[in-house]
Amino acid sequence: MTDNGIGGYFELELRKGAEFHNGAICLNTARNCFEYILLARKYKKVYIPYYTCDVILQPLQKLNVEYEFYHIGRNFEPLDDIRLKEGEAYLYTNYFGLKQSCVERLASVYDARLIVDNAQAFYSPRVSGIDTFYSPRKFFGVADGGYLYTDCYLDMNFPLDKSYKRMNHLLVRMEDGAEAGYALFKSTEDSLGNQQICRMSILTDSLLRNVDYVSTRQQRLANFNFLHEKLRSTNRLAFELADGDCPMVYPYYTDSVSLRSKLIANKVFVAKYWPNVFEWAGEYSLEAQMANHILPLPIDQRYGKEEMKRIVRLLI
């Protein structure tokens, strides 16, 4: 902790709670957690899904690690039977925080050469011995940060990150709303690209220690279950929550591509995961269909049953 002396003006008043991922390596971004793995394991090639965020390529390209794409099916599980060679690894995304059972199955196939991207699955536990990383800003109001579990450590002294210049979008949203802060949010997101590996900032660590992880999880699950009860009959995706799952969003697959615009026009902001797959996999691929037709509906801890009812009314 920085020595600020005694007295003077007050800092943010934050509860000094515990970390959820106690024992993980705390870094500045999830993609830098991935870079750490690549450096520590010295992988020469990594298999990655077509259906994933394009920022996953940044560490691979930075380190000149070869990569190859693979396809997933409608159940978000791999279609391709890939036999790894020496120096190769297999990256799998725990989609929406709903695929822990698939993670466990892949761990039995690829063992320590499996890398799990839990950016969308903050609450999903690490499978023992499997390199796994998390992105807390996908679940909570922080500007950066990443958690990494690995058994292969780098003997390097990483600098401490600074986050205060990335906080504007969070502060603007609190007082003026999401739309007012959106440009700042995009600017912050862009600024995270190709950052050097750093330790998690004091500010981000303090904010994450302020989260009530139990009630947050309970609220997310309550919201998810409410939407699933109302929408499962019209959702073209079939899934059930497994023990330990706590989703990031409710993925609603609809044939109507106009529903996304309708939701946004009514101030229900839904992202598009992920536009880059049109270039990677082709516009007629299953991955492109998913990007077009899956609406990631908000279920997070800021909202309750009334907000979920509002979403349902817009969809049915």
Side-chain angles (χ1 to χ4, degrees):
M1 182 65 72
T2 302
D3 181 8
N4 284 322
I6 300 174
Y9 66 90
F10 285 92
E11 68 271 20
L12 288 172
E13 295 279 354
L14 298 174
R15 182 176 67 94
K16 292 179 172 59
E19 296 173 303
F20 182 82
H21 286 291
N22 185 32
I25 299 171
C26 302
L27 298 178
N28 53 336
T29 64
R31 72 197 76 170
N32 279 350
C33 293
F34 183 35
E35 182 177 337
Y36 186 110
I37 294 167
L38 296 176
L39 286 168
R41 298 287 187 186
K42 297 180 172 62
Y43 286 127
K44 299 175 182 177
K45 180 177 180 178
V46 180
Y47 289 88
I48 64 174
Y50 279 106
Y51 191 59
T52 195
C53 183
D54 58 357
V55 302
I56 207 69
L57 296 187
Q58 290 180 8
L60 294 163
Q61 293 170 339
K62 181 179 179 181
L63 299 176
N64 293 313
V65 176
E66 185 181 352
Y67 58 90
E68 184 175 330
F69 293 108
Y70 65 84
H71 290 283
I72 61 169
R74 184 63 66 83
N75 61 355
F76 304 106
E77 299 190 6
L79 294 176
D80 307 319
D81 182 19
I82 295 172
R83 307 289 179 89
L84 296 181
K85 299 176 183 177
E86 188 68 27
E88 295 183 346
Y90 190 96
L91 174 75
Y92 178 72
T93 300
N94 187 343
Y95 292 100
F96 311 113
L98 292 169
K99 300 306 298 182
Q100 183 67 12
S101 60
C102 183
V103 168
E104 293 170 359
R105 179 178 64 80
L106 291 173
S108 69
V109 174
Y110 295 111
D111 197 32
R113 288 197 284 173
L114 175 67
I115 303 170
V116 177
D117 178 354
N118 266 348
Q120 296 189 338
F122 183 86
Y123 284 93
S124 294
R126 177 214 190 181
V127 176
S128 179
I130 304 301
D131 292 341
T132 306
F133 60 88
Y134 301 79
S135 180
R137 77 178 193 282
K138 301 292 194 301
F139 280 70
F140 311 106
V142 292
D144 48 39
Y147 290 110
L148 167 64
Y149 290 98
T150 183
D151 299 325
C152 188
Y153 300 100
L154 288 171
D155 186 17
M156 298 176 67
N157 185 23
F158 296 110
L160 185 67
D161 198 18
K162 303 287 187 183
S163 298
Y164 63 91
K165 291 182 179 178
R166 305 188 188 115
M167 294 295 294
N168 283 350
H169 68 288
L170 295 168
L171 301 176
V172 170
R173 169 153 194 164
M174 180 173 288
E175 297 195 327
D176 292 333
E179 291 173 289
Y182 185 71
L184 290 168
F185 164 75
K186 290 296 294 180
S187 177
T188 298
E189 289 287 297
D190 292 341
S191 75
L192 296 176
N194 295 305
Q195 294 280 331
Q196 71 174 117
I197 299 177
C198 295
R199 290 177 286 135
M200 183 183 289
S201 73
I202 293 171
L203 177 55
T204 296
D205 177 74
S206 298
L207 289 169
L208 288 169
R209 289 177 183 273
N210 199 57
V211 173
D212 183 341
Y213 291 105
V214 174
S215 65
T216 293
R217 180 175 187 160
Q218 291 172 342
Q219 191 60 55
R220 281 182 172 271
L221 289 171
N223 290 339
F224 182 94
N225 288 328
F226 180 88
L227 289 184
H228 199 37
E229 178 186 350
K230 303 296 183 182
L231 298 175
R232 66 192 306 167
S233 62
T234 56
N235 191 349
R236 291 188 58 191
L237 296 175
F239 47 76
E240 296 294 337
L241 283 179
D243 290 342
D245 285 345
C246 181
M248 183 178 77
V249 294
Y250 181 83
Y252 183 67
Y253 193 116
T254 173
D255 289 328
S256 173
V257 294
S258 65
L259 276 182
R260 188 185 308 273
S261 297
K262 180 182 179 182
L263 288 168
I264 294 172
N266 284 274
K267 297 187 181 298
V268 177
F269 302 114
V270 290
K272 192 169 190 177
Y273 304 135
W274 286 274
N276 50 279
V277 303
F278 294 97
E279 178 183 350
W280 290 359
E283 61 179 316
Y284 300 110
S285 64
L286 175 61
E287 288 85 355
Q289 293 177 38
M290 289 177 169
N292 267 333
H293 293 277
I294 292 178
L295 303 176
L297 304 176
I299 59 163
D300 62 75
Q301 58 273 13
R302 296 169 293 179
Y303 310 116
K305 187 174 290 186
E306 290 307 309
E307 288 84 3
M308 297 304 104
K309 288 179 179 178
R310 178 179 160 194
I311 292 172
V312 171
R313 286 195 296 267
L314 291 169
L315 294 175
I316 60 176

